[in-house]
Amino acid sequence: MTQVDVLLGLQWGDEGKGKIVDVLSPKYDLIARFQGGPNAGHTLEFDGKKFVLNTIPSGIFNEKTMNLIGNGVVIDPIILKRELDNLKKAGHDPIADGKLVIARKAHLILPTHQLLDAANEARMGKNKIGSTLKGIGPTYMDKTGRNGLRVGDTTLPDFKERYAKLVEKHTEILSHYEGFEYELAEKEASFFEAIEFLKTIPHVDSEHYVNGFLKEGKAVLAEGAQGTLLDVDFGSYPFVTSSNTTTAGACTGLGIAPNKVGAVYGIFKAYCTRVGGGPFPTELDNEVGENLRALGHEFGATTGRARRCGWIDLPALKYAIMLNGVTELIMMKADVLDTFDTIYACTHYEYNGETIDYMPYDIISIEPKPVLKAIDGWATDVTKITSVDEIPAKLTEYIAFLEKELEVPIKFLSVGPDRAQTLELR
Ligand code: GDP
Ligand code: IMO
Ligand code: MG
């Protein structure tokens, strides 16, 4: 019997999960997404090509790897169809190749879930979450509210009636948002067209499917979306997404028992970013932050929004490592710091007149101030290095400093967006 390895983000998302899942996928028989939905944008680059995946697991470009969209994921059939159509245009057809399956128990995002997301955000004005407007929150609300529609429902004879009943509830709610105008007919037509398409992807029970792989001794990797600090329970609530982005989410989002979890890969940037609203203690709302954004091309893969940038936040990373039981770390985008003579790491926070080394409960009304440690930069282009011996001494020192602070080894170092720009450190 094998175990499920988990790869997930330790910050506020966009750490580079897609790239690393793609790099690791040859070692796995199955890659499984376990939560989130098309709010995710996972970027992969290889052979001069670039792909952004929203719903489809990032193992899709590896020839022998199966890909599962798990029960914890919320699915917008229109976006999923578009993703698969685009892949087909680029010469990849996972359905024809039998490389993609989808959980019957995964919930569906309806066009009205998106409208509810938009209406909610509009009403909150400047206090809005800054959601991706993909309908994620309202869909998970219907899931836990026991109203949702699932992938498996699409093949039931009364699917259209079930759909109509839920939409009636949604339009009733929308009528209370004064001045919120919307058009539904056109979106509904695309939705039902996409539902027919969804039926062509094999539906499975993810709990039996994944455990079946384990029983056969096959290797499984669970791919997280978003990041730990966006977790609905442990993130910077309410500025979070609506699912458990942590390792525990892989258990509920796929149907595996906690003792089936193997290695946990925690992935982080050599600095930090956040997109959308909410606290961000190490944010650099200045020229340095703009510089990081330009050098790191920090614009959302899903929404195109400018990402907020700041220094690495060690109290937040330690918290994420604890919550996830991280066994190995992966550091991304070291190359983005190539031109800095000095870089900084937040080691503590000043909070309410005290120096603390943990994330306090209320970081919304009292934002912690970072205590920064200056670190020599390596001031060398690392994008072309291909072996560990070529890593500049100052970057090796930065890695050693982080490993000492975080008490977990850094296994991989990423020095550019391409698949090939990845170094295995141990
Ligand atoms: P994900 O959501 O965690 O998969 O990450 P995103 O794809 O949203 O954002 C990561 C961005 O950084 C993408 O544009 C990647 O192509 C890019 N990227 C990944 N690793 C590196 C790296 O080591 N260096 C640089 N410069 N870019 C990287
Ligand atoms: P990947 O998987 C970065 C953020 C949104 C917003 C908050 C809630 O690419 O790392 P939602 O649409 O989920 O209700 O938005 O969460 N967010 C992400 N930020 N990367 C993501 O995914 C994100 N998915 C959601 O910007 O602040
Ligand atoms: Mg992303």
Side-chain angles (χ1 to χ4, degrees), residues 95-109:
I95 305 182
D97 297 343
K99 282 175 50 185
L100 181 68
V101 295
I102 188 164
R104 281 193 185 91
K105 294 189 177 77
H107 278 249
L108 294 172
I109 302 175

Side-chain angles (χ1 to χ4, degrees), residues 14 41-42 301 307:
D14 304 325
H42 295 182
R307 293 176 183 150

Side-chain angles (χ1 to χ4, degrees), residues 14-18 41-43 45 307 332-333 335 414-417:
D14 304 325
E15 295 89 350
K17 299 174 289 291
H42 295 182
T43 315
E45 287 193 36
R307 293 176 183 150
M332 308 300 291
K333 302 191 98 161
D335 56 295
S414 176
V415 293

Side-chain angles (χ1 to χ4, degrees), residues 152-312:
D153 296 338
T154 59
T155 59
L156 299 177
D158 63 345
F159 176 66
K160 284 216 163 143
E161 285 89 84
R162 287 170 188 241
Y163 170 87
K165 203 169 141 211
L166 186 52
V167 168
E168 193 187 317
K169 182 185 148 211
H170 291 163
T171 48
E172 154 74 30
I173 299 170
L174 285 168
S175 71
H176 297 288
Y177 288 88
E178 224 170 282
F180 183 77
E181 286 176 17
Y182 60 90
E183 176 285 323
L184 193 54
E186 209 173 296
K187 286 198 184 95
E188 276 189 329
S190 314
F191 178 79
F192 281 105
E193 190 192 326
I195 288 290
E196 289 311 308
F197 178 78
L198 189 69
K199 290 183 191 166
T200 67
I201 306 173
H203 299 177
V204 301
D205 294 311
S206 49
E207 60 279 34
H208 294 301
Y209 192 81
V210 177
N211 283 288
F213 269 70
L214 301 183
K215 251 191 192 152
E216 288 176 26
K218 291 183 173 164
V220 181
L221 178 68
E223 173 180 359
Q226 290 77 57
T228 300
L229 303 176
L230 288 169
D231 181 277
V232 66
D233 279 279
F234 299 107
S236 45
Y237 193 88
F239 296 95
V240 294
T241 189
S242 300
S243 61
N244 283 117
T245 57
T246 41
T247 303
C251 294
T252 55
L254 295 175
I256 51 161
N259 65 356
K260 297 278 160 55
V261 174
V264 179
Y265 294 102
I267 176 165
F268 66 99
K269 287 180 195 180
Y271 50 101
C272 194
T273 64
R274 169 162 210 172
V275 59
F280 181 3
T282 63
E283 180 169 14
L284 293 160
D285 194 6
N286 56 23
E287 239 174 65
V288 184
E290 280 165 31
N291 204 3
L292 281 173
R293 185 177 308 122
L295 291 166
H297 304 290
E298 295 294 359
F299 296 89
T302 304
T303 58
R305 290 179 293 175
R307 293 176 183 150
R308 300 154 64 192
C309 297
W311 297 118
I312 200 163

